[in-house]
Amino acid sequence: MKTAVIGKNSYISSSLVQDYKNDDIEFYLVSSRNSEWNNFDFSKTETVLCTVGIAHNSSGKRLENEYYAINRDLPYQIAQKAKSSGVKQFVFMSSMIVYGDDVDLFNSKEIDPNTTPCPSNFYGKSKLDAEN
C-alpha cells in the first residue's frame, strides 16, 4: 500500500512510519510547512494520512487565526487535492481536545460516535472544524 503522510516532522508521523516500516506499506513523508504537499503527486498513493496541525503553543488570542489556518484550512486544502487526485482514502488525525480540556486519556469513558464534542478553546474548535 502506498501512503502519503502529510506532516513530515510530526511526532505521530515519525512514530507511525517507525512502527510500520517492516510492513507492506510504502510511505511518502511530505512536509506541510511549505509548498511540498501541494507539489506532491497524490495520484501515486492509495491513502493520505494528514497529521498536520499546531498545538502546545501559546493560547494567546494573537495566534487564533494561525490555529484556524493550520488546523482547519490546511487539512481541508490537502483533502481537496487528495480527492481531486483520486486518492481512495483520506485519514485526518484530529485531537482529543475536541472533547474539552478535562479529557483524561487514561481514565475517561470511551469516546464513540455519540460522544458530544465540547472544545473549550480555539485549538479544539479549529480541530473540530477540520473534522466537520
Side-chain angles (χ1 to χ4, degrees):
M1 176 185 353
K2 295 180 180 183
T3 301
V5 181
I6 314 299
K8 182 179 188 174
N9 297 313
S10 78
Y11 171 78
I12 291 172
S13 294
S14 301
S15 297
L16 180 110
V17 170
Q18 183 65 30
D19 289 347
Y20 291 96
K21 69 181 177 186
N22 296 323
D23 289 355
D24 194 23
I25 302 172
E26 184 176 347
F27 289 105
Y28 300 94
L29 288 168
V30 182
S31 178
S32 62
R33 293 182 184 225
N34 51 39
S35 61
E36 183 178 332
W37 74 268
N38 204 23
N39 295 325
F40 181 78
D41 181 5
F42 283 42
S43 68
K44 64 183 178 181
T45 65
E46 300 166 53
T47 302
V48 170
L49 173 62
C50 183
T51 67
V52 303
I54 57 170
H56 313 298
N57 289 351
S58 165
S59 59
K61 189 75 172 160
R62 64 180 172 53
L63 291 176
E64 184 172 4
N65 289 337
E66 185 176 3
Y67 271 77
Y68 280 97
I70 295 171
N71 291 343
R72 178 196 60 201
D73 301 342
L74 183 56
Y76 179 78
Q77 293 166 0
I78 293 167
Q80 290 298 100
K81 179 168 181 179
K83 182 178 181 179
S84 68
S85 298
V87 173
K88 295 176 184 172
Q89 183 175 34
F90 183 85
V91 179
F92 172 67
M93 297 295 291
S94 188
S95 173
M96 291 291 292
I97 198 69
V98 302
Y99 296 102
D101 284 337
D102 60 348
V103 174
D104 181 341
L105 293 173
F106 300 105
N107 298 312
S108 68
K109 68 177 184 167
E110 183 176 312
I111 293 174
D112 63 34
N114 298 315
T115 305
T116 303
C118 57
S120 60
N121 57 36
F122 55 79
Y123 168 52
K125 290 175 186 170
S126 67
K127 286 299 217 175
L128 182 60
D129 281 358
E131 288 181 22
N132 292 326

